Amino acid sequence: MFYSLKKREIYSAVQQSLRLLLSIALSSLIAYVCRLHEPYWALITSVIVTQSRIVQTIQTSQDQIVGSLIGGVAGLIAIVLENYSQWSSLIVFTIVIIPMVALVAWRPSMRLGVVTLAVVFLFPSPGGMFERPFDRIMAIIVGVIASLAASYFILRPQARCNAFIHAKVAFDKLHILLHSVLTSHIIWEEVESMNDDVASELRDLASEIAEARKEHPNYTLEHSDPTLVKVYPILRRLQSDSIFVARAMDEYHQMLPDETRDVLKISLNQVFERFIQLCNEQADHSEPFFCSIQAANDFEAMIEPILKEIKENCPKTIQFTLEALCHDLILGHDVFMLSKKLRAFS
């Protein structure tokens, strides 16, 4: 698993490098066709805007455009004051930059406005007096367009694949947590540390799902890829169930027979291996994939020994928490079966 994650990270780094190069090349081409006086501002913008995630690219694009427009307007005001008043350039620049700094203090994402103001007003440029702001704003817009084009149409990030990789890691960490609390009396601080690791994977999973929504703005994920949407809430439920099991085991650890521990351990190993297999199959595809898996009855056969052992040999508190866990495991398996069931009825 570690090797798989490292391989994915290297692939993502290479993909982002190519995306940046393509964004720079595209912005250079557009700036040349538009005959901008200072095309390098388009290149700088494309480097800043092009992120590894479409969500970040869109947000940075909005900040760049709004900031450059505000800075361009401020630059126009400064140019007018300089040419139609008796004030020196330093006084004019000071008057205009004070409200700009206040704006940046209130909205840090608008800091590009200060940069645009300084570039428009302080640095000489070919063209007329009022041509400078429009030329530089146009260069920034060209850089944004090139970045969005590279992000959406060239080497688009595969958020869906990454989401199922995080889901797989989350299932594996939940398995480690449950295995630890069922086989050994670990201290509560270790349980919290393991739970934090699971929570970190869930945050990444939620982020990738949000990214997948941006990658496919014309589709509703709830209909086009229900497995991807539903895997996050079921993992949240399993995380909660695992903590309840851990708390119950912390209180009633000595009351669980060794034979029961062995049955639970073996059965849970099979259950989580199935989930990891399902996540791997989904992660290998950039589009919704109908898993070629066995019927749901086979999965319930894995859960049956757990439920039987729980009813016969577990204290009431542990029985309640483990039954809740088993119920959500069945629901989780149904989430992965959902795509196959939808195909059968389509």
Side-chain angles (χ1 to χ4, degrees):
M1 183 176 295
F2 177 78
Y3 173 75
S4 176
L5 287 174
K6 281 295 182 183
K7 184 177 179 181
R8 178 71 63 171
E9 290 175 1
I10 294 172
Y11 173 78
S12 297
V14 172
Q15 191 179 50
Q16 176 62 8
S17 300
L18 292 174
R19 192 181 297 113
L20 268 173
L21 290 173
L22 290 170
S23 175
I24 292 171
L26 186 58
S27 62
S28 300
L29 177 62
I30 298 174
Y32 175 78
V33 171
C34 294
R35 298 183 180 277
L36 297 178
H37 292 303
E38 297 173 325
Y40 52 83
W41 289 111
L43 274 65
I44 294 172
T45 301
S46 66
V47 172
I48 295 172
V49 171
T50 307
Q51 306 290 322
S52 59
R53 303 173 63 83
I54 290 179
V55 172
Q56 295 171 341
T57 299
I58 293 174
Q59 184 60 55
T60 309
S61 299
Q62 293 173 347
D63 293 342
Q64 291 284 103
I65 291 176
V66 174
S68 64
L69 288 174
I70 293 174
V73 171
L76 279 173
I77 294 172
I79 291 171
V80 170
L81 288 175
E82 182 186 30
N83 285 272
Y84 297 100
S85 71
Q86 302 298 320
W87 296 332
S88 66
S89 299
L90 179 60
I91 294 175
V92 170
F93 184 71
T94 303
I95 292 172
V96 177
I97 201 171
I98 288 174
M100 290 296 299
V101 170
L103 175 64
V104 172
W106 177 53
R107 294 287 298 273
S109 60
M110 297 293 102
R111 57 186 175 273
L112 184 66
V114 176
V115 177
T116 305
L117 168 62
V119 169
V120 166
F121 185 68
L122 298 180
F123 296 95
S125 172
M129 177 176 60
F130 296 107
E131 191 176 346
R132 285 182 288 167
F134 293 106
D135 187 78
R136 281 161 182 170
I137 290 173
M138 186 61 187
I140 290 172
I141 292 175
V142 165
V144 168
I145 292 173
S147 299
L148 291 174
S151 296
Y152 267 103
F153 305 111
I154 306 171
L155 297 173
R156 175 184 292 184
Q158 300 297 336
R160 184 181 192 277
C161 302
N162 294 334
F164 280 106
I165 289 175
H166 288 297
K168 175 183 69 173
V169 176
F171 276 119
D172 187 60
K173 290 184 176 181
L174 282 174
H175 180 211
I176 294 172
L177 171 58
L178 289 168
H179 184 275
S180 300
V181 299
L182 288 171
T183 57
S184 59
H185 191 197
I186 63 174
I187 61 175
W188 189 250
E189 286 76 10
E190 293 181 17
V191 173
E192 290 180 328
S193 176
M194 293 180 182
N195 183 58
D196 289 342
D197 291 340
V198 176
S200 176
E201 292 298 331
L202 291 183
R203 286 192 295 271
D204 291 337
L205 171 59
S207 178
E208 294 294 347
I209 293 174
E211 178 79 358
R213 293 185 187 277
K214 294 293 185 180
E215 285 185 11
H216 302 280
N218 297 327
Y219 298 96
T220 303
L221 286 185
E222 282 75 8
H223 295 94
S224 63
D225 199 350
T227 305
L228 175 62
V229 176
K230 292 179 180 293
V231 73
Y232 174 77
I234 198 63
L235 270 166
R236 285 290 305 270
R237 293 181 66 164
L238 290 174
Q239 179 195 25
S240 178
D241 293 337
S242 300
I243 291 298
F244 283 124
V245 171
R247 177 61 74 183
M249 288 297 300
D250 189 50
E251 296 291 335
Y252 302 98
H253 179 78
Q254 301 297 331
M255 300 175 63
L256 199 65
D258 291 339
E259 296 80 6
T260 301
R261 295 178 193 276
D262 292 338
V263 171
L264 296 177
K265 180 179 67 174
I266 293 171
S267 300
L268 285 174
N269 282 346
Q270 295 175 340
V271 167
F272 279 95
E273 283 175 3
R274 169 64 67 87
F275 278 115
I276 291 172
Q277 171 199 348
L278 295 176
C279 288
N280 276 330
E281 291 180 350
Q282 292 285 349
D284 288 337
H285 296 79
S286 59
E287 298 296 333
F289 171 68
F290 302 114
C291 300
S292 57
I293 57 179
Q294 300 176 19
N297 293 336
D298 293 340
F299 183 79
E300 292 178 8
M302 294 182 185
I303 297 292
E304 188 175 345
I306 303 178
L307 293 172
K308 181 180 178 181
E309 196 67 33
I310 289 170
K311 292 178 180 178
E312 293 179 356
N313 299 308
C314 289
K316 289 295 182 182
T317 304
I318 297 178
Q319 179 179 333
F320 172 78
T321 56
L322 284 173
E323 283 179 347
L325 174 67
C326 290
H327 176 69
D328 286 335
L329 286 171
I330 294 173
L331 288 179
H333 190 264
D334 288 343
V335 165
F336 283 94
M337 292 294 292
L338 180 62
S339 294
K340 191 176 182 182
K341 290 177 182 177
L342 288 178
R343 181 181 62 168
F345 286 105
S346 61

